[in-house]
Amino acid sequence: MGVFRWGRGERRDGRAAPRDTAFEFFSATEGALFRRSVREAFAEHGLEVTLYAEHAVDDTGREFGLNNLAASCHHDERGVRLWPQLVRRHISVLLRTLDGPSALETMAPEQLLGRVYPRVVESALVERGPFDYARQLTPGLSEVLALDLPESVMLLNDEALDPLGGAAALRAQAVRNLRELPVEGHEAVDQGDGQRFHVVMGDSFFTASRVLLLDELVQRVTGRPLGPDGALVAMPFRHQLVFHPIEDIHVIPSLGGMARYAAAGHEDAVGPVSPHIYWWRGGLLTQLSEMAEGTVTVTVGVDLQQVLERLAQEADREG
């Protein structure tokens, strides 16, 4: 893949260099620099940490995952010279959030209600904690509630819900807030070989969560309502949502194109959600793709197969 090129002529190690054992997008040298920056950033706050491949543990036993921070450094186009600064800022915000008073204690209830959103996350993220209220959307993906704070996003556990009105009322408010988010960026992709899909992107941590209101988002972005056959959809990472309304025969080439796009977007992403493509119909998600040894495969069930055959027959009649 050649040498990574960065601003002001700065270069990353080429792909031929030995790779980091945990973060393949780093060379071994870059991985060592990254972890040294992490250790030094914690030390500036008086914390000694034990560094493992993908996380750090302080002397009180607190565990800090490094995946998103590593991906942030990897994608920062300013290059390795600014990694220590990026790491230092991230660790400072993280510790300030953990060690400071909780927003649940310092903010008025009406302020909190204006900041609550539903968030779609990997189910593994909430299966380890007290999130009994979490709603499974499809195997591997769950919906939880989160607070969008000035410096961080805080997932709300079971204990936090009752003081704010309970799960049902709080989710209703969260969905209203999600509905009011602006569409920050949109691109219609046409590959020229029949592959067509839309990419919605934004700085909001809840961009991918707009899949919960996909029919409304499609209407807003395309100006057309979503038809009864639904849409293909993907949420590679938290800042991106990809969709293709199922209307005609273009859905067939778009299946493979979107599946590859989702898998590539998920790889090395900050805030990964899912590498898969899904069929959205009537608010329900059905997973269509799988990843095995770097290869993406797409499998459609009986219901979607019937839709595809009908659209192919309609195309034949019109052709």
Side-chain angles (χ1 to χ4, degrees):
M1 294 176 66
V3 176
F4 291 97
R5 300 184 183 275
W6 301 88
R8 298 187 179 181
E10 188 171 355
R11 295 171 182 258
R12 292 277 298 278
D13 290 339
R15 297 293 297 185
R19 311 316 296 169
D20 185 81
T21 57
F23 304 119
E24 196 272 343
F25 47 77
F26 286 160
S27 69
T29 301
E30 291 167 348
L33 169 64
F34 168 72
R35 292 182 182 85
R36 183 166 66 249
S37 299
V38 170
R39 186 188 301 278
E40 291 172 353
F42 275 108
E44 290 176 5
H45 292 270
L47 290 175
E48 181 177 349
V49 296
T50 301
L51 281 172
Y52 298 90
E54 299 183 53
H55 67 280
V57 179
D58 69 10
D59 53 9
T60 69
R62 292 186 300 183
E63 184 174 314
F64 306 90
L66 300 178
N67 298 69
N68 282 345
L69 178 55
S72 293
C73 288
H74 170 59
H75 288 292
D76 194 309
E77 296 185 356
R78 295 171 296 177
V80 297
R81 62 190 172 85
L82 287 182
W83 285 5
Q85 177 181 326
L86 184 64
V87 170
R88 189 178 302 114
R89 185 185 310 120
H90 177 93
I91 298 299
S92 294
V93 171
L94 176 64
L95 293 176
R96 193 157 57 241
T97 301
L98 290 175
D99 296 336
S102 169
L104 297 172
E105 301 169 350
T106 60
M107 298 182 72
E110 57 271 20
Q111 290 178 295
L112 295 172
L113 291 176
R115 292 179 174 272
V116 67
Y117 292 88
R119 186 170 180 188
V120 176
V121 298
E122 296 173 305
S123 295
L125 185 65
V126 295
E127 287 171 352
R128 299 189 298 267
F131 296 93
D132 291 340
Y133 77 91
R135 186 169 71 100
Q136 187 181 68
L137 302 174
T138 191
L141 290 180
S142 295
E143 175 199 330
V144 292
L145 299 174
L147 288 177
D148 189 15
L149 302 173
E151 290 189 322
S152 64
V153 170
M154 174 184 178
L155 299 186
L156 296 176
N157 60 24
D158 297 322
E159 184 180 354
L161 301 189
D162 285 344
L164 294 175
L170 198 55
R171 182 182 187 275
Q173 178 61 49
V175 170
R176 286 194 289 270
N177 292 341
L178 183 67
R179 183 173 285 121
E180 293 175 2
L181 281 179
V183 175
E184 298 178 67
H186 164 247
E187 181 180 357
V189 177
D190 188 340
Q191 301 285 58
D193 58 356
Q195 297 180 41
R196 299 176 181 176
F197 49 87
H198 297 263
V199 182
V200 174
M201 71 273 314
D203 291 334
S204 170
F205 276 46
F206 306 98
T207 302
S209 301
R210 303 181 85 132
V211 68
L212 301 171
L213 299 172
L214 185 64
D215 49 349
E216 297 180 23
L217 180 65
V218 170
Q219 172 80 53
R220 188 170 176 180
V221 168
T222 69
R224 302 191 308 273
L226 194 59
D229 294 325
L232 305 178
V233 67
M235 303 80 69
F237 57 103
R238 66 194 181 200
H239 300 292
Q240 189 179 86
L241 183 144
V242 188
F243 69 83
H244 170 90
I246 300 176
E247 300 171 332
D248 54 36
I249 199 61
H250 288 100
V251 65
I252 294 178
S254 298
L255 266 168
M258 271 186 64
R260 291 187 293 272
Y261 187 93
H266 179 268
E267 185 179 10
D268 307 341
V270 180
V273 179
S274 173
H276 303 303
I277 184 175
Y278 299 86
W279 181 25
W280 186 101
R281 185 170 66 164
L284 300 178
L285 289 172
T286 302
Q287 182 177 320
L288 302 177
S289 64
E290 291 285 351
M291 286 284 296
E293 299 180 352
T295 300
V296 182
T297 59
V298 176
T299 304
V300 300
V302 174
D303 289 345
L304 183 54
Q305 182 64 37
Q306 291 175 348
V307 171
L308 299 181
E309 290 175 356
R310 171 169 47 81
L311 293 173
Q313 291 169 1
E314 291 174 1
D316 287 341
R317 287 195 298 269
E318 293 172 1

